[in-house]
Amino acid sequence: MSASIDAAQVAADFESTFGAAPDGVWAAPGRVNLIGEHTDYNEGFVLPFAIDRAAAVAIRLRDDSTARLVSSYGNQGVVTVDVDTLSHDTMNGWTAYPLGVVWVMRQMGVTIGGFDLYLHSTVPTGAGLSSSAAIECAVATAFNELESAGLSLNELVLVGQRAENEVVGAPTGILDQSASLLSTDGHAVFLDCRTQKSTLVPLDLAAAGLLILVVDTKVTHAHATGGYAARRASCELGAQVLGVAALRDLAAADLHEAAGLLDEETFRRVRHIVTENQRVLDTVAVLDDAGPVAIGELLTASHASMRDDFEISCPELDLAVDTALAQGALGARMTGGGFGGSAIALIPVADAAAVGAAVEQAFAAAGFTAPDIFAVSPAPGARRIS
């Protein structure tokens, strides 16, 4: 799958499917979370960046209430629904993401009638790179323009989150949509998930002679299933027992008291969130002071916390991280919700081929499915591309 989106090709594919040219083509990127995992729904801090892989939608408005949707992924044919009768029963499979956005925007009073939609994405699915949020943000950006809705970027973030929570059924925070909508080229987005305030943080990897290598383990995950929801429930329990609105309100100094009040598993979940929030703050400070070459130890410590305290890693992710570090990566960690997906490694550009080859060899020796390995760069957020 090519990483780049060819807007002209997407428009041509739309026209060959629906018999007329689209009103436009919009794209929104996937993301890598540099650091700050599962802190978002605990009202904490995250530091994602948009990547140069995206979902694109070509859309043409209709003069009736019929919506026709088709995806380039697989041979699934055209899905037809009536937007006036959208319900959870009519929004399922891949169409839950674009239709969920339409449903939420209509709930907010945006007038959206019928439309034709063609989806093409270069964000790997199930890889922990937020392929779902990329679709949601592309669709939200498109209809915000097409219907002159006038929603701010922060409001579009919440549109995507509501679609994910209420339609798809995944209890995620605002990290993914914020990265997809708010990013700019060459920067990460430092996001306070309580206030929704964001700050762009320079992440000029190329100037430092570095790159982020993604290792898609091919171990798929589904946020709507039990593991993610169970971790969220543990965090909510910890906050309730400790008498705080969210785990964001705890500092490292509070962990000693917490250990005496919580069962062992809940304490470890809480400890990950508290220490991960601090690692995000430390990473932002180090990037400002010394640049990306100095953040490796923080990335690696984050992985250890996710592996041991939050228990969301898996053998494939651990092998990718350990192998990359052994081959000279400055730091490495799993990224995304966990239970599969991708690991990232911060490495000198000159070492990329050697690290990738070593990871491939390690996976083969372990009998794991061959991973997909590729470099990503901080990219711009959602926008019209044609």
Side-chain angles (χ1 to χ4, degrees), residues 210-247:
L210 302 173
L211 56 77
I212 294 284
L213 202 66
V214 174
V215 179
D216 177 1
T217 65
K218 299 298 185 180
V219 179
T220 58
H221 63 211
H223 281 171
T225 56
Y228 189 102
R231 296 308 184 278
R232 185 161 187 163
S234 288
C235 293
E236 291 169 351
L237 174 62
Q240 179 182 4
V241 172
L242 297 171
V244 293
L247 296 184

Side-chain angles (χ1 to χ4, degrees), residues 159-175:
V159 167
Q161 185 198 18
R162 275 193 64 190
E164 194 83 37
N165 292 174
E166 299 177 26
V167 178
V168 178
T172 55
I174 62 173
L175 186 161

Side-chain angles (χ1 to χ4, degrees), residues 128-265:
L129 302 179
S130 205
S131 57
S132 59
I135 297 170
E136 292 155 1
C137 293
V139 173
T141 300
F143 281 113
N144 193 42
E145 178 181 336
L146 286 168
E147 303 294 356
S148 301
L151 299 178
S152 69
L153 290 178
N154 282 342
E155 288 172 319
L156 293 180
V157 166
L158 297 179
V159 167
Q161 185 198 18
R162 275 193 64 190
E164 194 83 37
N165 292 174
E166 299 177 26
V167 178
V168 178
T172 55
I174 62 173
L175 186 161
D176 298 343
Q177 292 80 11
S178 296
S180 189
L181 284 158
L182 304 176
S183 289
T184 64
D185 198 18
H187 291 75
V189 179
F190 173 47
L191 178 66
D192 181 333
C193 294
R194 169 168 286 171
T195 65
Q196 211 181 347
K197 180 182 178 181
S198 62
T199 306
L200 293 172
V201 178
L203 185 63
D204 194 345
L205 298 174
L210 302 173
L211 56 77
I212 294 284
L213 202 66
V214 174
V215 179
D216 177 1
T217 65
K218 299 298 185 180
V219 179
T220 58
H221 63 211
H223 281 171
T225 56
Y228 189 102
R231 296 308 184 278
R232 185 161 187 163
S234 288
C235 293
E236 291 169 351
L237 174 62
Q240 179 182 4
V241 172
L242 297 171
V244 293
L247 296 184
R248 146 73 172 273
D249 297 311
L250 299 176
D254 298 315
L255 288 174
H256 179 72
E257 180 182 1
L261 296 173
L262 301 171
D263 65 87
E264 181 183 352
E265 180 181 280

Side-chain angles (χ1 to χ4, degrees), residues 33-39 45-47 175 276 280 302 333:
N33 194 24
L34 187 64
I35 196 164
E37 225 63 76
H38 288 262
T39 48
F45 306 105
V46 293
L47 190 65
L175 186 161
E276 186 79 345
V280 175
S302 173
R333 64 187 288 274

